[in-house]
Amino acid sequence: MQLSREDLLKAYRDMRTIREFEDRVHDEFAKGGIPGFVHLYAGEEASGVGVCMNLDDRDKIASTHRGHGHCIAKGCDPKAMMKEIYGKRDGLCGGKGGSMHIADLSRGMMGANGIVGGGPPLVCGAALTAKTLKTGGVAVAFVGDGGSNQGTTLESYNLARVWNLPVVFVVEDNGYAETTASAWSVGGSQKKRAEAFGMPGTEVDGHDFFAVYDAARQAVEFARSGDGPSLLHVKLDRHYGHFEGDAMTYRAEGEVEKLRQDRDALKIFRTKVSEAKLLETGQLDEIDAEVKELIDQAVAESEAAPPPGEEDLLTDVYVSY
Amino acid sequence: MSNKSFRQAINEALAQEMRRDPAVIVMGEDNAGGLGAPGEDDAWGGVLGVTKGLMPEFGRERVLDTPISESAFIGAAVGAAATGLRPVAELMFVDFMGVCFDQIFNQAGKFKYMFGGKAVTPLVVRTMFGAGFRAASQHSQCLYPIFTHIPGLKVVIPSSPYEAKGLMIQAIRDDDPVIFLEHKVMYDDEEEVPDEPYTIPFGEANLTREGGDVTIVAFGRMVQFSNQVADKLEKEGISCTVVDPRTTSPLDTDTILECVADTGRLVVVDEANPRCNMATDISALVAQEAFGALKAPIKMVTPPHTPVPFSPQLEDLYIPTPEKIEAAVRAVAGA
Amino acid sequence: MTKIHPVVMPKWGLAMAEGTVVEWHIVEGSEVGAGDDLLDIETTKITNVVESSHAGLLRRQVAAEGATLPVGALLAVMAEAEVPDAEIDAFIADFNANFEVAAAEAEATAPEPQIIDAGGVAINLLRMGKADGPPIVLIHGFGGDLNNWMFNQPMLAERHSVYALDLPGHGRSSKDVGAGDLTMLSTTLLAALDTLGIEAAHLAGHSLGGAISMQAALDNPARAASLTLVASAGLGPDIDMDYIEGFVRAGRRKEMKQVLQALFADPGLVSRDMVEELLKYKRLDGVDRALTAISGAVFAGGRQTGVLGHRLHELGIPMQVIWGAEDQIIPAAHAREVPATVKAHVLQGAGHMVHMEKAGEVNALIEDLIAR
């Protein structure tokens, strides 16, 4: 294990921040404070954080409609994110993007994406930039099991292979494309799909931060060293519905309660680091309290923040027009 | 200064910008050609030879041939533009937008707005359009109204070799995503084109003819037809102003309205299908802003609301002709 | 001297292919003096008067008002009264029968501009006419090019060798102007003369070109055979900076048209083609930088920096200044800022582009000065 104590604390803090952020958005959305469509990442934290812990400032990611977790994992400011989700002027995107288009290019986060399968071609482009300008950067496409069936994704596998791009495709398979089970909607296997395009594919337990971290480290090194693209098939679970307001009638009775009990990435992480005596429970509790305070502040500040004004409607369409 | 074809003018613009700025790359199907094949390298230089010679000068790293996979490579061009390159991606025929439009209108066109102004996407999509090649319904359309409809995109339609070079260099240097439409019938047209790099600003119409009786607004190849008509009618005492807006987005509405105010008569010539095209857009603009100046109803010269037919006899009936434009001008002039 | 003289469609500028007869000023059968206005011709670029190069009788108007004719086409016939009508008819028939061949020959032998190396600067120039003696060298002003002399160069070339050149940063010359000051520009002019093997030239400069000619002549008196300063810079401090800055800024047709109208007493002379041609020039890479550098050096702080008029007494050559009375760019009052030995001509009804608006008079003044 190559992770330092600081790395472990950071990993836990990021995962906890995502969880707290999403749980809180869930609550606030239910109270009517948040407009629009919101898709929550709670339950999938180990994937975003396990992958992004291997990335640095040179590297880019493209996300999905379920993008809050990837944002936080790539270093975006949770307070500015919360304001964005509330549609406020000081939000990360000035209140013009919202949950589905949350982005911070200065952090290498190329955006959540309202179009399923929208990200992989963009990531090929980011990787092309890295390759052409020789920055040493790597680009990561997060895509869901639903997005894995889009032509854009499959075309991107091929393009990344034939252009030999430094790309990692991370298929986050939470078992459902909206209401439809991936067991039904995905033909063949993700791993074999990757192999069919001439790139390595690895199946990963997405509840286990350490498993994701290790697999991602290999994939990122593979890309960075010029060997081209690879794919991680990360199996995980979402704690909430497809979007907020989804009654999840398609899920089995007790399914969510059971996975929260047995397969919660944060619980698994705590258990592992405690058993291995890598971190003390007290430290983790301290992080929990700090993160809770941060998110409390984020929500309070977001509620109080001014919305954009009429003068903001027409700006930011073009650089010049 | 020398005589150059429309094709050469665009090729020269690409080459000069690639020399000037290492961030400029080109990509597309067979942009060089022959990749991985046993025969000639740079076999095609694009399906109609526009990018010929770029690969030998700039190498495969900056002249990227792609699989036939428009979603992936147009999307890659968008992603590359958002992360520091200035890609010029060739969508061989504009009709192929159907398989990659998401990357253009939901991604490239919206990044800047959705991301609160923080994204810059200096992308050019070069694409061939227009009827007259007997290329039938899926290789002949004029789909620029669809791009024009999307906020965040700029849409350029050069009407001659001089215009093509200056507008292409402007498109490459522009920080917004630009759709650059090349009429496939015009590639061998020639005129004097400066050897040096130069830019033509977007959003400023060109008046290719000036006259006091009728304003003709036309795009792309239709500008040439309109010029022919204006020259013919001038001899009969009907003098026309021909407005080539150069870009449909931004659209130089001021110049169009000024010309209509001067002449009081308007003919709009648009090779795009008639529902929600540039002709209807400009007619609505003039009806709303300059109704009082009109001395006659506006005439629109467009193809019918049909796909582009294959049979040469049918295609010739489909395309607006100088004769149809002339009839419209005579009608609004009351002559 | 033959008895019959044709009057033909002139070629004003390299791009002119045809012109339209706007109006005849002389009725058939009238006596005409050399230099009298015959008719107005409109091109896509400009409308100007055709002057008679001979004295005589206007026997026949061949071109009707409104007719559009190619360069070289017969417009009128001049001949003495004793020439019979039948001979005139035969002349016209013969001219027209041979016109296509003659036009093709003229086209083939038409002067072409060439690029020369002037001390490391690529300079575009056009030579017309072949004659012994020092040639005339025409130097345009800020933002102009050799085509500014389109009403002067062909006429002067009937009796002289005449060069018109594009200054650095202008026309088709190199857009690298270095410091962009009078020293750089006049050094380049002298280097161009070196390359052309011209020891001494009759220098005629318009506006900034006047200051450059003066600087060159003062630095190397032997190189100037005479000096004609047309609406010249370098004689006083005043300059209309709204024009200079407006010209540098103008990137769009409307702005450019407005700016250019200040150059003429008759703003109607600014045509679509004139505007379009200047926009084409201004769109070239490097032009904006070149114009900004030159204007920053020679018009720093809104004043002319190189005032040389008081030094003209150092030159022992024929000199004159010519101004349009209605010049809005450099005041005609500057015509007085020269030593008494320099003859000053202020022409009514002309603005800053006096050599275009009053081409005949300016050409005659240049001929007169050279003849001295």
Side-chain angles (χ1 to χ4, degrees), chain B residues 1 162 173 196-200 202-208 210 246 255 258, chain C residues 171-173 175 251-254 257 271-273 276 279-281 283-285:
Chain B
M1 190 84 105
Y162 173 82
R173 295 181 190 177
E196 306 99 310
Y198 60 93
T199 55
I200 298 175
F202 292 165
E204 179 173 4
N206 189 26
L207 305 187
T208 58
E210 266 181 307
R246 288 178 171 141
T255 296
E258 280 165 22
Chain C
R172 312 212 59 78
S173 290
K175 303 302 178 292
R252 296 183 177 256
R253 197 181 55 256
K254 234 188 300 179
K257 185 166 185 176
S271 67
R272 189 176 66 83
D273 270 29
E276 187 54 32
L279 287 176
K280 280 186 176 178
Y281 155 67
R283 288 172 189 145
L284 296 173
D285 272 12

Side-chain angles (χ1 to χ4, degrees), chain A:
Chain A
M1 192 153 307
Q2 302 176 336
L3 286 159
S4 68
R5 197 179 149 76
E6 285 68 34
D7 287 340
L8 290 170
L9 288 168
K10 176 178 168 16
Y12 183 74
R13 184 183 293 274
D14 284 355
M15 289 202 293
R16 176 57 68 193
T17 305
I18 295 170
R19 175 66 55 85
E20 191 69 30
F21 191 97
E22 297 293 61
D23 283 350
R24 192 62 185 272
V25 169
H26 174 80
D27 293 347
E28 299 302 327
F29 187 89
K31 285 193 252 169
I34 294 172
F37 297 152
V38 176
H39 309 82
L40 299 180
Y41 195 70
E44 307 187 12
E45 296 86 351
S47 175
V49 174
V51 171
C52 291
M53 284 284 287
N54 288 288
L55 302 180
D56 61 36
D57 288 346
R58 295 170 294 175
D59 303 324
K60 315 288 180 196
I61 66 168
S63 176
T64 69
H65 53 288
R66 200 173 301 288
H68 305 167
H70 303 133
C71 259
I72 291 170
K74 194 69 173 71
C76 301
D77 172 14
K79 286 186 172 180
M81 286 176 59
M82 190 66 85
K83 284 183 191 152
E84 184 59 32
I85 290 165
Y86 271 81
K88 297 305 177 75
R89 174 188 278 163
D90 297 339
L92 198 54
C93 303
K96 288 178 170 170
S99 167
M100 266 191 292
H101 309 301
I102 199 159
D104 187 349
L105 288 153
S106 70
R107 308 294 316 175
M109 163 56 184
M110 296 174 69
N113 210 309
I115 306 301
V116 171
L122 303 174
V123 156
C124 289
L128 178 64
T129 300
K131 190 177 171 182
T132 306
L133 302 181
K134 299 181 172 50
T135 65
V138 165
V140 177
F142 289 100
V143 60
D145 48 290
S148 79
N149 292 330
Q150 283 280 30
T152 48
T153 305
L154 298 164
E155 284 191 30
S156 295
Y157 293 171
N158 186 58
L159 189 68
R161 180 66 274 167
V162 302
W163 278 355
N164 198 39
L165 296 173
V167 173
V168 181
F169 297 101
V170 180
V171 179
E172 295 183 325
D173 180 359
N174 63 23
Y176 298 97
E178 299 191 341
T179 72
T180 302
S182 57
W184 178 85
S185 67
V186 177
S189 90
Q190 304 288 358
K191 181 177 187 303
K192 285 183 180 164
R193 286 181 179 188
E195 287 164 359
F197 283 100
M199 59 182 170
T202 309
E203 290 173 347
V204 189
D205 176 5
H207 308 94
D208 179 2
F209 166 82
F210 296 100
V212 176
Y213 177 84
D214 282 341
R217 182 167 49 78
Q218 289 181 34
V220 168
E221 277 176 10
F222 188 78
R224 226 187 275 291
S225 59
D227 291 330
S230 60
L231 179 145
L232 305 181
H233 177 193
V234 184
K235 294 179 183 172
L236 33 67
D237 295 287
R238 60 165 144 89
H239 285 184
Y240 296 108
H242 166 65
F243 50 51
E244 287 311 276
D246 174 3
M248 293 196 283
T249 50
Y250 48 88
R251 296 183 92 161
E253 197 139 338
E255 177 184 318
V256 173
E257 291 72 18
K258 189 162 168 27
L259 67 90
R260 281 174 184 260
Q261 189 60 46
D262 301 340
R263 294 195 302 231
D264 181 322
L266 281 137
K267 283 184 188 164
I268 292 170
F269 183 94
R270 284 182 75 118
T271 307
K272 282 203 172 185
V273 294
S274 302
E275 281 174 359
K277 300 200 187 321
L278 294 167
L279 296 174
E280 287 153 29
T281 312
Q283 286 177 302
L284 300 176
D285 292 344
E286 213 170 286
I287 287 174
D288 288 354
E290 285 168 12
V291 167
K292 185 173 185 319
E293 198 186 331
L294 172 75
I295 301 302
D296 281 345
Q297 285 171 6
V299 170
E301 288 173 22
S302 296
E303 284 174 343
E310 197 177 341
E311 67 278 12
D312 298 311
L313 177 64
L314 304 182
T315 57
D316 302 328
V317 183
Y318 295 93
V319 175
S320 62
Y321 196 60

Side-chain angles (χ1 to χ4, degrees), chain C residues 143-166:
Chain C
D145 65 26
L146 59 82
N147 284 312
N148 293 163
W149 303 100
M150 67 171 116
F151 301 137
N152 316 102
Q153 192 180 12
M155 291 71 200
L156 295 170
E158 288 173 17
R159 280 177 279 274
H160 307 276
S161 232
V162 190
Y163 293 85
L165 54 79
D166 287 336

Side-chain angles (χ1 to χ4, degrees), chain C:
Chain C
M1 202 181 206
T2 51
K3 289 181 290 184
I4 302 179
H5 294 293
V7 178
V8 303
M9 181 65 75
K11 185 169 174 67
W12 293 328
L14 294 170
M16 179 173 167
E18 61 179 25
T20 302
V21 177
V22 180
E23 188 186 1
W24 280 98
H25 297 301
I26 303 286
V27 292
E28 221 169 62
S30 308
E31 280 292 337
V32 179
D36 284 2
D37 293 353
L38 287 179
L39 75 166
D40 285 348
I41 295 288
E42 183 184 17
T43 72
T44 55
K45 208 166 298 170
I46 199 159
T47 300
N48 196 40
V49 67
V50 176
E51 295 172 354
S52 179
S53 56
H54 297 82
L57 194 61
L58 185 81
R59 290 291 297 273
R60 200 67 62 80
Q61 286 178 358
V62 178
E65 289 182 359
T68 298
L69 298 165
V71 166
L74 190 64
L75 301 175
V77 176
M78 294 182 52
E80 295 309 319
E82 65 265 22
V83 178
D85 274 344
E87 209 171 304
I88 303 276
D89 290 339
F91 179 87
I92 293 171
D94 188 52
F95 187 100
N96 287 337
N98 292 318
F99 174 64
E100 274 188 27
V101 178
E105 258 173 43
E107 177 79 10
T109 57
E112 297 257 347
Q114 58 179 124
I115 304 243
I116 62 161
D117 175 20
V121 183
I123 291 295
N124 185 51
L125 61 83
L126 178 67
R127 180 185 182 172
M128 284 186 188
K130 277 206 172 96
D132 294 336
I136 302 172
V137 175
L138 304 170
I139 304 123
H140 65 79
F142 182 79
D145 65 26
L146 59 82
N147 284 312
N148 293 163
W149 303 100
M150 67 171 116
F151 301 137
N152 316 102
Q153 192 180 12
M155 291 71 200
L156 295 170
E158 288 173 17
R159 280 177 279 274
H160 307 276
S161 232
V162 190
Y163 293 85
L165 54 79
D166 287 336
L167 286 170
H170 292 74
R172 312 212 59 78
S173 290
S174 161
K175 303 302 178 292
D176 185 359
V177 299
D181 55 8
L182 279 184
T183 306
M184 184 278 170
L185 298 168
S186 60
T187 308
T188 307
L189 168 61
L190 289 166
L193 298 184
D194 291 343
T195 304
L196 294 167
I198 298 171
E199 282 176 28
H202 298 287
L203 299 177
H206 172 245
S207 197
L208 175 63
I212 295 166
S213 312
M214 259 190 283
Q215 183 77 62
L218 288 165
D219 289 347
N220 279 280
R223 306 300 292 272
S226 74
L227 190 55
T228 295
L229 303 172
V230 183
S232 185
L235 298 176
D238 303 321
I239 177 77
D240 177 12
M241 283 310 282
D242 284 349
Y243 169 78
I244 299 293
E245 286 165 3
F247 183 84
V248 173
R249 204 172 38 236
R252 296 183 177 256
R253 197 181 55 256
K254 234 188 300 179
E255 300 167 275
M256 182 56 90
K257 185 166 185 176
Q258 220 161 11
V259 166
L260 294 181
Q261 283 172 341
L263 290 172
F264 296 91
D266 173 10
L269 287 175
V270 176
S271 67
R272 189 176 66 83
D273 270 29
M274 192 188 293
V275 171
E276 187 54 32
E277 212 153 273
L278 276 163
L279 287 176
K280 280 186 176 178
Y281 155 67
K282 288 207 61 200
R283 288 172 189 145
L284 296 173
D285 272 12
V287 167
D288 188 58
R289 199 167 353 117
L291 291 178
T292 304
I294 293 173
S295 122
V298 301
F299 308 127
R303 310 287 279 172
Q304 294 192 39
T305 53
V307 177
L308 304 164
H310 58 282
R311 289 184 55 198
L312 286 176
H313 67 269
E314 297 172 21
L315 298 171
I317 52 171
M319 289 181 275
Q320 64 181 344
V321 297
I322 302 173
W323 232 285
E326 294 169 45
D327 195 325
Q328 299 172 50
I329 311 300
I330 302 177
H334 284 197
R336 293 194 296 269
E337 306 291 326
V338 290
T341 50
V342 181
K343 176 85 171 134
H345 310 271
V346 177
L347 308 184
Q348 298 303 310
H352 192 59
M353 302 305 276
V354 56
H355 54 318
M356 296 183 88
E357 283 184 289
K358 294 290 166 195
E361 290 173 60
V362 171
N363 294 344
L365 289 168
I366 294 174
E367 295 270 14
D368 287 351
L369 188 77
I370 291 171
R372 259 196 244 168

